Amino acid sequence: MTLPALHNTGVLYRRILSQFPQDISLAFAYGSGVFKQHGTSQGQMEKNMLDFVFAVDDPVTWHTMNLLQNRKHYSILKLLGPTMISSIQNEHGAAVYYNTLVPVDGKIIKYGVISTESLIDDLMHWKTMYVAGRLHKPVKMLVQSENGKLRAALVANLKSAVTASFLMLPESFTEEDLFLQIAGLSYAGDFRMVIGEDKSKVANIVRDNIQHFRILYSNILRDCPQVVYKPQQGKLEVDKSPEGQFIQLMALPRTLQQRITKLVDPPGKNRDVEEILLQVAQDPDCGAVVQQGISSIVKSSSITQSIKGIATAGLWKTVSYSSKKLMKMWKGWRRKPSVSHTS
């Protein structure tokens, strides 16, 4: 199974991509400039910044070429050179290097660069859930290389999102409930949801994009032995027995299992992961423990990545970008009452 590209990539995206070094193993566009969100008009959408992520096999070479082609995109950190930029990318925050508020082809864009290796690690193990979380939601795939390991990791990440969401949902629920839960995973614990993001963001993402979520997840739901999926009615029933929950917990990404273990196991006990997850599977608050585990991953990566963003964007761009986010949040408040979803 490959992740579907949503519609064709379009001339605009091809023109933007052509401005960058071409050695990219995966490129996708995401966010409110790409997908219509509830409460946003077509006109507003066209003014929104376009967000991209580029996965590259060799960040030093890629930044070397990008500094030659697009030196103006970088903050003062460009003076440190490509090796140092790659080291800042790989070793701090969520292993992504963002250039923001970049004018390209009449649009304002933001693009993050991550190494293919770091991306696979995040997709498989949810080490930071930063780019993995972006990929739980519909994105516009622009480039996808024939890297088998990367393809498998992309599917594994979607399966993990489904499994984690099952653990946090009741026995029966609707497709929309599931997609709200999935879309909310990468915002759980994100400090930017307290300040700087529209509170009804998760509901706005899902409401107008149910069809795109279906395209992403319907095959996984059909093939999953843990769930009864009735696509015609848009309803699902999941196994909430301790045995069922244990199977789901054992299928979660490694970092999340470790975080759950840390939450539940008293210091000094050092029981093995399987034993602890067996205990959690029998706990009526199993879903809440999983939620806490996810929040702890997202919280640390969202804070460290945002601090790194100040350096990679430069102070003026940081102030400009943050003020736009706060404005969006203010508009979200004024649009109330709308049904916001807290996951």
Side-chain angles (χ1 to χ4, degrees):
M1 173 198 161
T2 59
L3 286 187
L6 296 165
H7 317 305
N8 59 16
T9 54
V11 174
L12 169 70
Y13 294 106
R14 287 202 294 275
R15 279 171 60 170
I16 290 171
L17 272 179
S18 72
Q19 318 268 331
F20 293 95
Q22 292 305 291
D23 187 18
I24 292 173
S25 64
L26 185 86
F28 64 87
Y30 66 95
S32 58
V34 181
F35 290 97
K36 188 173 179 324
Q37 291 188 5
H38 193 73
T40 310
S41 70
Q42 194 62 39
Q44 282 171 305
M45 190 180 156
E46 279 166 21
K47 285 187 202 142
N48 283 346
M49 183 162 65
L50 291 174
D51 295 302
F52 295 88
V53 167
F54 305 147
V56 301
D57 291 346
D58 181 351
V60 176
T61 303
W62 197 89
H63 284 295
T64 302
M65 292 167 74
N66 200 40
L67 280 161
L68 290 170
Q69 279 176 245
N70 300 306
R71 195 167 177 81
K72 281 185 177 162
H73 294 185
Y74 291 81
S75 70
I76 199 164
L77 295 185
K78 61 177 164 269
L79 301 176
L80 300 174
T83 306
M84 199 62 194
I85 284 171
S86 301
S87 155
I88 291 164
Q89 174 189 308
N90 290 324
E91 288 163 30
H92 301 281
V96 194
Y97 190 101
Y98 270 103
N99 284 325
T100 190
L101 296 176
V102 174
V104 177
D105 231 58
K107 287 277 190 184
I108 298 294
I109 76 163
K110 174 177 99 183
Y111 63 94
V113 184
I114 184 169
S115 77
T116 310
E117 191 185 345
S118 295
L119 175 59
I120 290 170
D121 190 36
D122 195 30
L123 292 168
M124 294 299 295
H125 306 304
W126 285 9
K127 195 173 173 185
T128 68
M129 267 185 85
Y130 201 84
V131 180
R134 298 270 178 278
L135 286 160
H136 291 158
K137 298 173 274 289
V139 301
K140 196 182 271 284
M141 279 290 169
L142 308 173
V143 174
Q144 197 175 338
S145 72
E146 290 302 314
N147 180 331
K149 216 171 156 187
L150 178 56
R151 283 174 181 269
L154 286 161
V155 178
N157 179 47
L158 295 179
K159 287 182 176 171
S160 297
V162 167
T163 305
S165 297
F166 283 171
L167 285 159
M168 292 186 275
L169 285 161
E171 197 167 351
S172 57
F173 46 90
T174 66
E175 260 183 337
E176 190 173 352
D177 293 333
L178 175 64
F179 299 150
L180 284 164
Q181 189 72 59
I182 288 171
L185 292 175
S186 60
Y187 296 115
D190 188 336
F191 79 99
R192 292 167 304 174
M193 290 305 280
V194 179
I195 183 159
E197 288 287 8
D198 180 352
K199 293 293 179 294
S200 43
K201 183 171 179 129
V202 175
N204 292 345
I205 289 168
V206 174
R207 219 174 281 173
D208 287 357
N209 292 296
I210 294 271
Q211 200 48 48
H212 293 319
F213 275 92
R214 257 190 216 126
I215 291 166
L216 267 186
Y217 288 102
S218 61
N219 284 353
I220 289 168
L221 294 172
R222 280 197 190 98
D223 295 345
C224 177
Q226 295 271 292
V227 72
V228 178
Y229 178 40
K230 304 170 186 166
Q232 282 73 28
Q233 296 106 301
K235 296 230 167 79
L236 301 100
E237 287 164 25
V238 72
D239 182 357
K240 297 302 277 185
S241 69
E243 296 77 19
Q245 296 200 137
F246 178 62
I247 290 165
Q248 289 158 17
L249 287 162
M250 288 299 286
L252 291 174
R254 188 176 65 206
T255 309
L256 180 51
Q257 289 181 339
Q258 288 164 349
R259 295 293 177 117
I260 291 169
T261 303
K262 217 170 169 182
L263 284 167
V264 175
D265 202 33
K269 268 253 180 129
N270 297 327
R271 293 179 297 163
D272 68 0
V273 172
E274 200 167 323
E275 196 185 331
I276 292 156
L277 294 181
L278 193 56
Q279 178 194 322
V280 175
Q282 293 163 42
D283 188 333
D285 292 330
C286 173
V289 176
V290 174
Q291 171 86 37
Q292 266 183 285
I294 290 170
S295 294
S296 71
I297 296 170
V298 173
K299 188 177 182 180
S300 49
S301 67
S302 71
I303 291 171
T304 52
Q305 184 64 36
S306 293
I307 292 165
K308 179 165 113 176
I310 296 168
T312 62
L315 194 58
W316 181 83
K317 281 186 176 179
T318 300
V319 170
S320 176
Y321 180 66
S322 302
S323 62
K324 284 190 176 81
K325 282 280 186 191
L326 289 167
M327 196 66 198
K328 233 172 158 181
M329 182 174 82
W330 170 244
K331 282 179 182 160
W333 279 342
R334 290 186 59 190
R335 272 203 307 269
K336 297 280 183 288
S338 75
V339 184
S340 71
H341 176 83
T342 48
S343 57

